[in-house]
Amino acid sequence: MPYRPSRMDQEASLAAARDLRARMNERRTVRQFSSDPVPEQVVRDAIAVAATAPSGAHQQPWTFVLVKDPDVRRRIREAAEHEERVSYAGRLGEEWLEALRPLGTDAVKAHLTDAPFLIVVFQQRYLLAGDGTTRKHYYVDESVGIAVGMLLTALHLSGLAALTHTPSPMRFLSEVLGRPRNEKAFAVIPVGYPADDCEVPDLVRKSLDQVLVEI
């Protein structure tokens, strides 16, 4: 039987949109995490939300690795900080370093071990069957990017903080986590509660008029 979407009446739709806009306006990227435990089911549900994202040809080309083991998180941090030291020493280029300075970031990535969970998102660049045969996936970047956006939204609406961390290069993540050759790391997302002394830069988002064109 085909699925038939339900239809919300206009008043309910306006109220839901208004509430969502207000709640999402409170979302901030957090770099200082508390080590306090987080209910695992909350994170699992957020990943389940992300997995409902649209994808090219419905191929769902994503894998979400939920890293709970402190030793594995330590190994990821050590490898990430190695790459970040090289990047901040010049690999990033002065223009990119200048863009990062207002955020106060550096090669120290304590969030990778402070946060109780890491979600490492992988792109499945192609389908790898059990017999070793492969099949091309389409619109992988777009599909996984949409899924990550939905993941961040679900985490925020569930009361959790997150950070989109993209060390470059990220090949070490496949090695540490033992992922198959068809998968490529897309992002590392620490998840938890903000630290009690957490502060975020006082950044101003573009207004709706600046990002919306109506024709």
Side-chain angles (χ1 to χ4, degrees), residues 33-174:
F33 287 86
S34 167
S35 59
D36 291 346
V38 167
E40 184 177 333
Q41 189 59 44
V42 175
V43 182
R44 294 174 63 88
D45 285 343
I47 294 172
V49 169
T52 69
S55 60
H58 194 57
Q59 292 175 323
Q60 305 167 83
W62 44 63
T63 300
F64 302 89
V65 180
L66 181 58
V67 184
K68 300 174 281 185
D69 188 319
D71 183 61
V72 177
R73 287 188 280 121
R74 177 188 57 77
R75 291 167 57 200
I76 289 174
R77 176 178 175 180
E78 289 174 353
E81 288 185 337
H82 169 74
E83 297 295 348
E84 294 289 276
R85 284 192 295 270
V86 176
S87 293
Y88 277 88
R91 183 169 61 190
L92 289 176
E94 184 55 36
E95 186 175 359
W96 180 228
L97 289 173
E98 182 64 27
L100 288 174
R101 284 192 181 100
L103 302 179
T105 60
D106 56 28
V108 178
K109 305 300 178 185
H111 47 259
L112 295 175
T113 50
D114 289 347
F117 293 115
L118 297 180
I119 302 173
V120 185
V121 185
F122 286 88
Q123 303 172 311
Q124 297 174 10
R125 302 304 302 179
Y126 52 90
L127 175 67
L128 180 62
D131 60 2
T133 59
T134 63
R135 187 183 71 193
K136 181 179 174 63
H137 278 165
Y138 297 91
Y139 296 101
V140 174
D141 292 342
E142 295 85 348
S143 300
V144 176
I146 294 168
V148 168
M150 292 178 64
L151 174 62
L152 296 174
T153 300
L155 290 169
H156 173 70
L157 295 179
S158 300
L160 299 180
L163 165 69
T164 308
H165 180 53
T166 53
S168 180
M170 291 195 280
R171 287 187 296 272
F172 68 88
L173 289 165
S174 294

Side-chain angles (χ1 to χ4, degrees), residues 6-17:
S6 59
R7 179 170 175 172
M8 184 182 293
D9 68 66
Q10 291 188 4
E11 287 302 317
S13 181
L14 286 167

